[in-house]
Structure formats: C-alpha cells, structure tokens
Amino acid sequence: MAAEVQEHTSADLSKVDSAIDDAPASPTESKIKHRRTSSTVSGVFNINDLEKENVELKIAPETQKLNWKINSSPSTIEDKEVLKKLLTTPPIKKIDLHFPLGLEVTARNLKGVTIKDACDAIYKAYKKRADDELEAPYLAGFEWDREECYTRFIVHQKKTGDVVSSGSSKKKKAKGGEEE
C-alpha cells in the first residue's frame, strides 16, 4: 500500500515539475516583456542616438538664473514653473552631469529630463555637505562641449547667489518677524 502511494505522488510531481517539460515555449511566451513600455514617450531621445545623428542640443537658459544652492532641496527654488521645463531641446531620457572636481551624477526621466530632474540629481550628491565645505555652492548653469564629450554636461558653480528682487526679501522679513 505504501509503495502504491509513493508511486502515485511521484507521478503527480512529474506532471507539475516544469524541468521535466521539454515542450518549447510558444513564440509569444519567449518574448521578453518589458514592464514599463507605457512610460516611454515618443519624441524623447536617447542621447547616444542623437550623437550618432549629430544633433545639436540646446540647454534651457533658465538654468543660469536659478540662484540655487546645490546642497539645499530643489523645492527651495522660487520659480516652480522653471523646474517643469525640459533641460534640453530636443528632450533626452538621461544626461550625465560632470563637476570640475571629477564628481559625475546622472539625471534621468523617460518623459524627458527636466530642470528639476537635474537639480534633484545634484542635490542627492550634495545634500549632506555643509555650506562651508562647498567652495562654490550656487549653480551657475550647464555647459555642453560636444567635442570633449557629447553625452555629458559640465556643471558650473559660483561662490555667491544673485541678489533676487522683492520676492526673497519678503521671506527674510517674515523670518525676522518684521512683517505679519
């Protein structure tokens, strides 16, 4: 009786065990299924493809006017609309941002890298640094030197932030308690 049960169990297992099944998978099953095809947007390019086609990139000029301290959150940038703008024309999926001292970070967005994506990538690298550790803590903008390296931008920094008009003085007054 015990031999009969044991024989029955091994027969059931062989039917379930996928290692025993030698039948080839159908062509539709063998295709690799990507998880996020819907998040890819048409009109957004891979920078390597643009390099092969020798396409000229244009960096958004707004990056030079951000007046943003790289070790503070990008949410501290006053003009929130600028953050939504694409970093380049034509839009790209990712870009390496190279700092003069050798650090390199990558900004990615399958819908097109925005100024916020670039700021987020920089902030992630610098958020734990104190102000006195940074020689030039403000973002001055990006430079693209297609001869040196097509697939990366050089990050420029400056020692002081620009004096901003009345928008930031209200915050300073509110912090000082002079304004209600």
Side-chain angles (χ1 to χ4, degrees):
M1 179 83 174
E4 202 175 294
V5 171
Q6 189 178 17
E7 187 179 310
H8 182 67
T9 314
S10 63
D12 288 345
L13 286 177
S14 67
K15 291 178 186 171
V16 176
D17 192 355
S18 61
I20 294 173
D21 187 17
D22 289 338
S26 69
T28 55
E29 289 175 356
S30 63
K31 286 183 183 173
I32 298 171
K33 292 183 171 85
H34 294 286
R35 212 174 137 184
R36 294 192 223 172
T37 52
S38 63
S39 62
T40 305
V41 177
S42 62
V44 179
F45 302 94
N46 182 326
I47 193 153
N48 296 326
D49 296 341
L50 293 177
E51 183 178 19
K52 288 174 192 164
E53 296 171 21
N54 203 21
V55 175
E56 184 76 23
L57 293 176
K58 292 185 181 79
I59 301 173
E62 292 88 352
T63 59
Q64 298 171 12
K65 303 172 192 142
L66 290 177
N67 199 35
W68 174 61
K69 197 179 247 188
I70 62 174
N71 65 346
S72 63
S73 171
S75 64
T76 60
I77 295 173
E78 289 196 25
D79 190 357
K80 305 293 184 219
E81 290 303 309
V82 169
L83 294 175
K84 296 175 186 172
K85 290 189 177 189
L86 292 170
L87 181 64
T88 62
T89 307
I92 53 177
K93 293 179 184 177
K94 76 173 191 136
I95 186 70
D96 294 327
L97 304 172
H98 179 76
F99 288 85
L101 295 175
L103 177 71
E104 197 162 287
V105 297
T106 303
R108 292 180 179 87
N109 188 336
L110 292 176
K111 297 177 181 175
V113 175
T114 63
I115 294 173
K116 183 182 186 317
D117 296 324
C119 291
D120 284 340
I122 294 168
Y123 173 61
K124 188 174 181 183
Y126 282 97
K127 67 182 174 186
K128 292 185 177 154
R129 302 237 179 127
D131 290 349
D132 58 354
E133 290 180 60
L134 300 171
E135 193 175 308
Y138 290 91
L139 180 70
F142 301 103
E143 176 190 354
W144 180 54
D145 186 354
R146 71 183 299 159
E147 278 76 37
E148 186 183 319
C149 184
Y150 189 96
T151 60
R152 74 177 183 203
F153 292 163
I154 299 164
V155 179
H156 289 284
Q157 296 166 264
K158 54 188 176 182
K159 290 184 188 292
T160 57
D162 297 330
V163 178
V164 184
S165 59
S166 63
S168 68
S169 63
K170 287 181 182 177
K171 281 187 176 181
K172 288 177 185 171
K173 285 180 183 177
K175 285 181 181 176
E178 295 173 21
E179 197 174 287
E180 290 182 62

